[in-house]
Amino acid sequence: MNANQIINMIIRQVTRRLINKGVNTGINMATSGGKPREEMSPAERKQARQARQAAKRARQAARLSRRMR
């Protein structure tokens, strides 16, 4: 393995982590309606939590379906 391949591998790993973090942050912002937790009513908090759990299950299902291919 030469230096170029190692550098590319590291860059891909860092990029993947940053993109995943951005996607997760975007999903959390979308599920909370862009409001901070302190500004939400208890009903809104419950709905946001349920939406985050649904998004988590969707990511798990996507991961599982990729493994089955």
Side-chain angles (χ1 to χ4, degrees), residues 1 5 20 23 30 49 64:
M1 201 179 254
Q5 289 174 321
N20 285 339
V23 167
R49 184 170 26 88
L64 184 63

Side-chain angles (χ1 to χ4, degrees), residues 22-62:
V23 167
N24 290 338
T25 302
I27 289 172
N28 289 339
M29 286 297 288
T31 57
S32 68
K35 288 185 183 176
R37 182 174 167 81
E38 298 81 31
E39 293 180 8
M40 286 192 220
S41 68
E44 288 175 324
R45 278 191 214 117
K46 183 178 179 182
Q47 183 180 8
R49 184 170 26 88
Q50 288 173 339
R52 279 194 302 274
Q53 289 172 343
K56 181 179 177 182
R57 283 192 299 272
R59 282 193 301 271
Q60 288 173 343

